[in-house]
Amino acid sequence: MDLEVREIPPQSRGMYSNRMRSYKQEMGKLETDFKRSRIAYSDEVRNELLGDDGNSSENQRAHLLDNTERLERSSRRLEAGYQIAVETEQIGQEMLENLSHDREKIQRARERLRETDANLGKSSRILTGMLRRIIQNRILLVILGIVVVITILMAITFSVRRH
């Protein structure tokens, strides 16, 4: 999960990094609790419980009940730690699925952007060609108009000279 958090975009990485740190701290606490419980119930404690040290059976029974209670508390802590680990794994899996979907969306959007860019290039070339033809047509129209005006003027001058 740590590797996945490193690959998350920087804007949302901080939130997930904080979660990972808290999960690591909680996991560390659970590991130390587990180690303490193992040490508390080591062979020396067992020998002390089972050995005959001169205590009455009432003291032994109370000591045994106390140790059983400690063991149950440690078991509950371990179970809670396991549940947190399972929840963390599920959250991580959901994050990975969301990231996968987001990646696919980004790739589709990028492809559409490329297609749009290509279409805009085509449109630009077509519009440039149309503008060039419009300018050519106007120039031709102006030249044709000038030729017609000159022809009319020449016809008027020839008709005036003939009379």
Side-chain angles (χ1 to χ4, degrees):
M1 287 192 322
D2 214 8
L3 293 174
E4 292 299 327
V5 168
R6 290 180 192 162
E7 294 180 15
I8 293 176
Q11 58 268 39
S12 60
R13 187 180 303 160
M15 177 181 67
Y16 294 114
S17 295
N18 289 337
R19 282 187 187 173
M20 284 299 298
R21 270 182 270 165
S22 68
Y23 292 149
K24 283 181 182 179
Q25 289 174 353
E26 196 165 336
M27 187 67 175
K29 288 177 186 176
L30 291 172
E31 286 177 352
T32 56
D33 287 347
F34 180 70
K35 287 178 184 176
R36 280 190 214 138
S37 67
R38 288 174 89 191
I39 291 171
Y41 300 107
S42 66
D43 290 333
E44 294 174 18
V45 174
R46 285 186 195 142
N47 289 337
E48 184 181 33
L49 286 173
L50 298 175
D52 188 19
D53 58 355
N55 289 340
S56 68
S57 65
E58 288 289 323
N59 285 340
Q60 288 178 348
R61 184 175 291 175
H63 196 61
L64 184 60
L65 288 174
D66 186 42
N67 286 337
T68 304
E69 185 179 323
R70 281 189 206 164
L71 181 61
E72 287 175 359
R73 277 185 286 174
S74 297
S75 296
R76 285 192 297 264
R77 284 184 191 155
L78 286 174
E79 184 64 32
Y82 177 75
Q83 290 297 327
I84 289 172
V86 167
E87 289 173 9
T88 304
E89 184 179 356
Q90 289 173 347
I91 290 170
Q93 187 176 11
E94 290 172 6
M95 284 174 42
L96 286 174
E97 288 174 6
N98 289 341
L99 287 173
S100 175
H101 292 300
D102 291 345
R103 181 179 182 192
E104 290 172 7
K105 287 178 186 177
I106 289 171
Q107 286 176 341
R108 284 193 303 263
R110 187 177 292 156
E111 187 60 33
R112 281 189 219 126
L113 183 62
R114 286 184 185 135
E115 289 174 7
T116 303
D117 188 38
N119 290 337
L120 283 175
K122 281 181 184 178
S123 300
S124 176
R125 285 190 299 272
I126 290 170
L127 286 174
T128 303
M130 289 172 68
L131 184 62
R132 202 175 308 125
R133 286 188 200 112
I134 288 171
I135 292 171
Q136 288 172 352
N137 287 342
R138 285 194 181 165
I139 291 172
L140 277 171
L141 190 60
V142 169
I143 291 172
L144 193 61
I146 292 172
V147 169
V148 168
V149 169
I150 291 174
T151 307
I152 292 173
L153 288 176
M154 284 176 62
I156 292 174
T157 38
F158 284 134
S159 70
V160 169
R161 283 192 182 168
R162 280 191 183 168
H163 286 327

